[in-house]
Amino acid sequence: MDGKLVLVDGHSILNRAFFGIPDLTNSEGLHTNAVYGFLNILFKILDEEQPDYLTVAFDVHAPTFRHKMYDAYKGTRKPMADELRQQVPLMKEMLTAMGVTIVEKEGYEADDLLGTIAKQSEEQGLEVSIVSGDRDLLQLASDHIKIRIPKTKRTGTEIEDYLAKDVVEKYQVTPLQFIDVKALMGDSADNIPGVPGIGEKTATALITAYGSIENAHDHLEEIKPNRAKQNLSEHYDMAQMSKELATIEIHAPIEYSLEDAKLGNLFTEEAYLMCKRLEFKNMLSRFDIDAPKNLAEEHFTFVTDKKQISDIFKKAKKAGHIGCCLLPGEGIITEQLSLFEQPKEQQVIEGMSIAFSEEDIYYLSAGTEVSAEELLEEIRELSGGQTKVSVMDLKETLKTLPLPGNDRYFDASVAAYLLNPLKNDYPYEDLAKDYAGLMIPSRTDLLGKESPVKAKQAKPEAFLKYICYMAYIPWKTRDRLLEELNNTGMQTLYDTIELPLVYTLSDMEKEGVHVDAEELKRYGEELAAQIAVLEKEIYEGAGETFNINSPKQLGHILFEKLEMPYGKKTKTGYSTAADVLEKLAVEYPLVSKILEYRQLAKLKSTYADGLANFIEEDGRIHTNFQQTVTATGRLSSTDPNLQNIPIRMELGRMIRKVFLPKDGYVFVDADYSQIELRILAHMSGDEMLIQAYREAQDIHRMTASQVFHTPFEEVTDLQRRNAKAVNFGIVYGISSFGLSQDLSISKKEAQEYIERYFESYPKIKEFLDGCVEKAKKDGYSVTMFGRRRPLPEISSSNFMQRSFGERIAMNAPIQGTAADIIKIAMNRVHRRLIDEGLKSRLLLQVHDELLIEAAPDEVDEVKKILDEEMKGAADLSVELEIDTHTGKNWYEAK
DNA sequence: GAGATCACG
DNA sequence: ACGTACGTGATCTCT
């Protein structure tokens, strides 16, 4: 038999790559540098050698025979860096995806497997190359076995090659004698003790002269340097043991089939997906499958013809289910039909894509033969009937095309979010991959950074693909997504909470909230004046000007120039965080000024100036409520974030005075009282806590009374404050360290608080332990309404990650249930405002709070609705309570 | 683009 | 022994 075999020492090359390449991480947080480097080396070798066969060998984690001998001799091995260890399974997964044969065997190191396979294959007449970073393998070199050692240099990867003759040339000994040299000199990295006092030079000299350790020992008397003679004599047993350690096994009992190792196409779809997942962008070019063989793509059609468009809609109506995507034009048309009517704002559309079978996928262009309005009318008519409509982003669709809320619409992103809330986004290509097994180009692949409307002119083919996929994928994946929701018990959550919420949020976003731009400007100017004064004083105190906003420069001034005692350090230098500075502020007035400066600077940049940029022409701010972001089921608010408007400090709180209801209206604001603790009482079934809530007791005071063994009436303010922190801690997934940090007490004290808490509320301990246990078993946690949060961390071997997972397992059901409940309340409040024909509108949600802009004559009804719907959103063993306020601005209403 | 900081629940 | 509270988003600096 002839041919060429490449063998790779898996761990060794992975290790080389890990240390040779700076840390890389993908957006999931996986470390990927070693895998990346490994692949680069592998591809280089394969390009050069064009082998017929390829095999990668790995060590098995269990201690091997050779290690055991060493362990007995001297301690244990250095553990592998965690970032590297994580990449071993990834690497194996990648190789498997590429169809590469992997060999590993319990009790044997990769060396032994490589040696055995290499020698066997050589006998069969193959040319063998062994790729390793480890010079130990040089002992395997022969005329037909080449050892290849890659070196990662700045100029790229260079490879040193050794056939038997090259070993002799470089080391003056044959490959087999290389073992003896190594055994004499020892190698701490490889755990070979060697003979004390014998280094590389002496070892090589001895073996060149005598050929082997044994023969050298037989000729002890002739050995020249006296020291060497003595050392070898005294440590001969050590030398023999070292030799055994250094010798690679070439008769390991493994089953190896050359046929299986035949090198096929590495660039498979699976490997492509993995490279995408690991974000090896420049490696994707090696794949020949950029043009996917997706049959549907051939039916993507650009349509302008009026008759054709009308026929497509007729056909779509019969299909019963369509996917679609509207392409909003840039800008809004304000059309005034007559002098007596209010001008109507209409978002223009350029066109829309529609998909309703594997063959019927079209982009319908508006503007030439068919007007935007006609097109919208068609789709409105279609979706007003019995046709089911699936889209990638329903909230976005509703902005262009208001549609009545009902269950015939399907939001693919929201469904995908429920199935895995940990991802950053839910682009169509991910849904295609996960729920239809399709590999398709992403928006960026097709359009780059260009907007769809611009791309339509610049690269029409790419645009057509993009817009058609945006309709085809939700159509294609709907059934699978619904099936998965059903399988995971989340169908009801989707149908009754999340989908209706899309409409609620859409209306809230469209409504926006009025902000007094001039008042905001004045507020900003006031801040600016105060900032200028502080800035001057700080420069005087520091004796120089510097950038106060730069933690680096600030740290230098405080802790080096002024030699203040530093509390904490961050990765990059001294910490100048508020809690550190607060301790210094007692002694140094300069630090107080810096804290004050920070506060003002934050208010000005993020709130005064920041919010001003978002006031639109209607005088209102339209935040974006994101429904597919948080891991727990909460909403998030962006551009701008209206869920973190200051309230805790008076100066910041003032900014709420610029949030106003529209003329003649008032704000009604309602927030749940301690919703998370009430949920905890319910879910744990703790009688004490339930009873306390039923009697409307002061919970923190009661906790203080329990934890500090103090009669209820005698609880001090401090005790109550501390108990409140304990209650918070319980909800967060308590840890003594976290609590001690928060209360500035010792870890031991914090631990005692926690223990006494759990003694008082045993059911709560039981419940939290149960949460962790169940999450460990299932791999996810669940809320009262069935929302899941996957917890990959909880089974981590890393203590810190595992502990993190455990805290999440305790917190996620509570925080998530609270999120479920307020979402239910929002839908109900929103619905009632509309159904009762009220003018009042829901504007904002801040996790446990709803803000309504109410017509003055509706205030009582609005309060009644809030009361009924918020309290009635869930049926718990304790009542849900709310606090409601009204006011002429947000400051007053809170 | 990451890290530090700080605003909220 | 390990190093921390749970969940977010915006701004600024600096590489």
Side-chain angles (χ1 to χ4, degrees):
Chain A
M1 192 187 287
D2 61 355
K4 210 175 205 181
L5 165 67
V6 166
L7 294 171
V8 181
D9 184 348
H11 276 120
S12 160
I13 296 301
L14 207 53
N15 202 53
R16 281 272 150 141
F18 179 73
F19 289 106
I21 293 183
D23 193 20
L24 293 172
T25 339
N26 78 346
S27 49
E28 288 173 55
L30 288 170
H31 295 273
T32 57
N33 59 331
V35 177
Y36 183 78
F38 187 112
L39 289 180
N40 271 330
I41 292 170
L42 182 66
F43 290 154
K44 186 178 162 76
I45 300 260
L46 295 181
D47 285 348
E48 276 177 24
E49 303 231 6
Q50 302 290 327
D52 307 287
Y53 308 97
L54 173 66
T55 293
V56 180
F58 283 96
D59 304 324
V60 175
H61 269 302
T64 64
F65 172 66
R66 277 158 61 197
H67 281 148
K68 270 186 194 149
M69 280 177 60
Y70 171 70
D71 290 345
Y73 164 73
K74 187 183 165 192
T76 49
R77 285 196 140 189
K78 235 188 353 194
M80 201 189 285
D82 211 54
E83 291 75 14
L84 175 55
R85 190 181 11 252
Q86 290 169 2
Q87 295 184 61
V88 175
L90 280 183
M91 190 70 241
K92 290 183 184 169
E93 203 181 318
M94 178 68 86
L95 291 169
T96 307
M98 293 179 148
V100 174
T101 302
I102 294 175
V103 293
E104 45 191 352
K105 187 169 176 72
E106 186 110 3
Y108 290 86
E109 286 191 41
D111 290 0
D112 305 322
L113 307 178
L114 293 169
T116 304
I117 297 170
K119 292 294 175 191
Q120 275 176 10
S121 306
E122 183 184 31
E123 274 168 34
Q124 290 173 31
L126 272 78
E127 293 294 323
V128 181
S129 289
I130 303 180
V131 187
S132 175
D134 190 347
R135 284 178 191 278
D136 270 6
L137 285 140
L138 291 180
Q139 62 183 269
L140 297 172
S142 71
D143 289 348
H144 303 286
I145 299 178
K146 181 164 64 178
I147 313 299
R148 315 201 67 192
I149 301 181
K151 304 228 154 171
T152 313
K153 289 193 177 162
R154 279 200 196 139
T155 48
T157 309
E158 285 174 29
I159 302 179
E160 284 178 17
D161 290 333
Y162 296 91
L163 288 166
K165 63 179 167 57
D166 303 305
V167 178
V168 175
E169 193 178 309
K170 177 130 190 201
Y171 294 96
Q172 292 90 48
V173 294
T174 67
L176 277 178
Q177 290 171 339
F178 191 78
I179 303 174
D180 297 65
V181 173
K182 184 122 184 171
L184 285 176
M185 62 192 265
D187 184 336
S188 62
D190 269 323
N191 310 323
I192 294 166
V195 174
I198 296 186
E200 184 178 350
K201 285 218 170 119
T202 320
T204 308
L206 283 174
I207 300 305
T208 328
Y210 301 102
S212 72
I213 292 176
E214 292 76 12
N215 198 39
H217 189 251
D218 289 345
H219 298 79
L220 254 185
E221 293 315 311
E222 302 167 17
I223 291 176
K224 252 302 155 56
N226 229 332
R227 213 160 49 90
K229 182 198 289 181
Q230 206 180 335
N231 286 335
L232 182 58
S233 171
E234 277 177 28
H235 299 285
Y236 183 53
D237 56 337
M238 187 81 97
Q240 284 179 305
M241 181 180 119
S242 293
K243 185 166 175 177
E244 209 170 321
L245 280 170
T247 305
I248 291 171
E249 169 80 65
I250 55 168
H251 299 293
I254 51 162
E255 285 156 33
Y256 178 73
S257 148
L258 199 57
E259 213 37 51
D260 290 347
K262 199 147 198 152
L263 186 58
N265 173 29
L266 298 175
F267 303 101
T268 61
E269 286 204 5
E270 292 80 8
Y272 181 83
L273 291 178
M274 259 209 92
C275 284
K276 272 208 125 157
R277 173 165 162 240
L278 299 184
E279 293 162 19
F280 294 162
K281 306 232 164 76
N282 56 9
M283 228 162 250
L284 296 177
S285 59
R286 288 181 170 268
F287 289 79
D288 191 21
I289 47 182
D290 266 333
K293 312 137 221 129
N294 180 14
L295 292 174
E297 204 172 274
E298 297 178 4
H299 295 100
F300 292 178
T301 317
F302 196 108
V303 186
T304 49
D305 183 77
K306 188 166 187 162
K307 170 81 171 55
Q308 239 178 314
I309 289 179
S310 146
D311 287 348
I312 288 168
F313 274 108
K314 275 186 201 133
K315 204 170 164 195
K317 217 167 285 180
K318 291 195 197 112
H321 172 213
I322 65 159
C324 78
C325 176
L326 301 172
L327 179 67
E330 303 196 332
I332 290 171
I333 300 177
T334 310
E335 49 181 295
Q336 189 156 12
L337 297 171
S338 75
L339 281 172
F340 309 101
E341 259 183 277
Q342 281 285 327
K344 222 170 66 182
E345 275 193 358
Q346 177 61 55
Q347 170 86 50
V348 291
I349 64 164
E350 293 238 344
M352 62 173 288
S353 53
I354 183 167
F356 49 89
S357 83
E358 294 293 340
E359 286 84 33
D360 294 289
I361 307 154
Y362 310 95
Y363 174 71
L364 312 176
S365 176
T368 50
E369 293 193 36
V370 174
S371 76
E373 191 44 52
E374 282 173 308
L375 207 54
L376 282 174
E377 199 40 53
E378 287 272 25
I379 185 73
R380 232 179 251 133
E381 195 192 318
L382 181 62
S383 56
Q386 288 308 305
T387 311
K388 295 175 185 162
V389 181
S390 299
V391 295
M392 282 305 301
D393 184 341
L394 182 56
K395 182 153 64 70
E396 202 50 44
T397 309
L398 293 175
K399 287 201 178 142
T400 311
L401 179 70
L403 294 165
N406 74 46
D407 59 10
R408 278 180 293 103
Y409 302 100
F410 179 75
D411 188 315
S413 319
V414 170
Y417 162 72
L418 290 183
L419 292 171
N420 177 10
L422 299 186
K423 296 184 29 157
N424 292 324
D425 43 22
Y426 301 86
Y428 67 81
E429 71 274 14
D430 282 11
L431 302 205
K433 180 183 73 181
D434 295 341
Y435 302 103
L438 292 177
M439 294 217 331
I440 57 175
S442 70
R443 172 178 171 152
T444 331
D445 291 344
L446 292 167
L447 310 183
K449 281 175 186 156
E450 246 170 327
S451 75
V453 173
K454 285 217 176 97
K456 185 162 164 257
Q457 309 304 324
K459 30 186 155 178
E461 307 86 16
F463 164 78
L464 180 66
K465 284 189 189 176
Y466 163 73
I467 197 80
C468 285
Y469 274 128
M470 285 290 285
Y472 175 67
I473 295 305
W475 175 81
K476 179 87 175 163
T477 55
R478 172 188 170 119
D479 289 349
R480 241 328 268 300
L481 286 164
L482 283 172
E483 190 189 321
E484 287 293 315
L485 286 172
N486 209 11
N487 291 343
T488 50
M490 290 194 285
Q491 176 120 40
T492 309
L493 174 68
Y494 175 82
D495 288 337
T496 64
I497 300 181
E498 297 294 340
L499 183 62
L501 189 68
V502 177
Y503 294 88
T504 305
L505 293 177
S506 169
D507 284 348
M508 289 166 68
E509 289 180 7
K510 277 194 250 182
E511 207 64 48
V513 54
H514 178 221
V515 167
D516 185 335
E518 280 164 32
E519 199 55 46
L520 186 62
K521 198 171 161 220
R522 266 196 291 282
Y523 180 77
E525 283 163 357
E526 226 167 87
L527 290 172
Q530 291 186 50
I531 288 169
V533 174
L534 281 167
E535 209 170 40
K536 198 164 154 268
E537 291 175 357
I538 290 167
Y539 294 154
E540 275 169 22
E544 64 182 288
T545 62
F546 64 102
N547 189 340
I548 311 170
N549 288 322
S550 162
K552 194 179 158 195
Q553 294 182 37
L554 181 60
H556 173 77
I557 297 281
L558 295 183
F559 303 118
E560 285 175 21
K561 184 172 178 191
L562 300 177
E563 295 182 326
M564 295 181 190
Y566 56 86
K568 279 187 295 190
K569 279 201 168 180
T570 63
K571 283 172 218 160
T572 48
Y574 306 105
S575 168
T576 67
D579 59 331
V580 175
L581 297 193
E582 268 157 26
K583 285 174 191 143
L584 292 171
V586 187
E587 212 176 322
Y588 302 93
L590 173 67
V591 178
S592 306
K593 292 207 173 76
I594 290 167
L595 282 167
E596 204 180 337
Y597 171 90
R598 279 245 181 100
Q599 203 192 351
L600 298 178
K602 177 91 175 184
L603 289 173
K604 178 153 162 55
S605 68
T606 306
Y607 299 102
D609 300 348
L611 289 177
N613 291 326
F614 286 99
I615 301 177
E616 292 183 18
E617 280 173 20
D618 58 0
R620 298 171 78 94
I621 292 180
H622 302 264
T623 186
N624 183 17
F625 284 110
Q626 307 248 74
Q627 201 178 348
T628 58
V629 168
T630 72
T632 52
R634 276 189 177 180
L635 299 175
S636 93
S637 157
T638 60
D639 308 303
N641 182 352
L642 292 186
Q643 291 182 319
N644 72 346
I645 302 302
I647 189 164
R648 294 173 190 171
M649 305 291 252
E650 180 56 28
L651 184 67
R653 190 175 195 153
M654 305 255 268
I655 204 161
R656 292 181 174 235
K657 290 182 176 169
V658 308
F659 286 80
L660 304 170
K662 65 181 168 193
D663 267 353
Y665 280 55
V666 293
F667 277 154
V668 180
D669 184 293
D671 65 290
Y672 280 112
S673 158
Q674 298 176 340
I675 185 168
E676 293 186 339
L677 277 180
R678 288 172 198 264
I679 289 167
L680 178 64
H682 172 84
M683 291 180 91
S684 68
D686 188 275
E687 293 86 0
M688 177 88 101
L689 199 52
I690 292 172
Q691 190 61 24
Y693 272 120
R694 286 193 179 153
E695 291 167 9
Q697 295 240 31
D698 177 340
I699 293 303
H700 300 317
R701 179 170 289 271
M702 191 188 79
T703 303
S705 159
Q706 300 284 347
V707 169
F708 303 117
H709 299 308
T710 305
F712 189 85
E713 308 303 327
E714 292 169 28
V715 169
T716 65
D717 283 356
L718 178 67
Q719 284 176 322
R720 188 179 178 282
R721 253 208 315 285
N722 289 352
K724 189 172 171 178
V726 174
N727 280 327
F728 266 102
I730 296 293
V731 171
Y732 290 160
I734 196 94
S735 81
S736 53
F737 187 94
L739 185 63
S740 72
Q741 198 70 14
D742 192 52
L743 291 179
S744 308
I745 57 176
S746 74
K747 221 175 101 171
K748 192 162 153 275
E749 269 181 289
Q751 186 57 46
E752 283 169 23
Y753 287 11
I754 294 167
E755 275 163 25
R756 274 184 267 160
Y757 181 92
F758 283 139
E759 279 166 28
S760 310
Y761 306 98
K763 280 271 186 66
I764 291 182
K765 175 152 178 53
E766 222 172 274
F767 169 71
L768 294 176
D769 288 348
C771 282
V772 172
E773 206 179 307
K774 190 156 169 19
K776 272 205 173 118
K777 185 163 68 73
D778 300 336
Y780 57 86
S781 64
V782 195
T783 69
M784 267 180 68
F785 295 86
R787 183 189 306 277
R788 288 188 184 187
R789 164 161 186 178
L791 285 169
E793 308 91 337
I794 204 158
S795 47
S796 167
S797 61
N798 177 298
F799 174 86
M800 202 199 78
Q801 291 206 0
R802 191 174 59 248
S803 307
F804 182 51
E806 289 169 356
R807 291 197 294 274
I808 299 173
M810 297 186 252
N811 172 264
I814 302 172
Q815 189 182 125
T817 301
D820 296 342
I821 290 175
I822 196 159
K823 282 178 169 176
I824 294 169
M826 289 168 73
N827 286 333
R828 292 193 187 175
V829 167
H830 175 246
R831 182 107 306 275
R832 274 189 68 178
L833 292 175
I834 292 171
D835 287 353
E836 294 183 18
L838 301 177
K839 299 186 288 293
S840 306
R841 288 290 174 262
L842 180 57
L843 302 187
L844 298 178
Q845 184 253 42
V846 192
H847 309 307
D848 66 352
E849 167 193 0
L850 298 179
L851 179 68
I852 286 183
E853 184 173 64
D857 55 327
E858 296 175 359
V859 166
D860 289 340
E861 180 60 16
V862 165
K863 281 187 179 169
K864 184 167 162 248
I865 291 173
L866 282 170
D867 194 72
E868 288 172 6
E869 303 305 345
M870 287 177 81
K871 287 183 182 173
D875 185 20
L876 307 185
S877 46
V878 299
E879 289 293 311
L880 287 170
E881 297 293 341
I882 61 168
D883 294 315
T884 308
H885 299 97
T886 59
K888 66 177 195 306
N889 56 49
W890 202 6
Y891 180 94
E892 284 185 11
K894 236 325 219 166

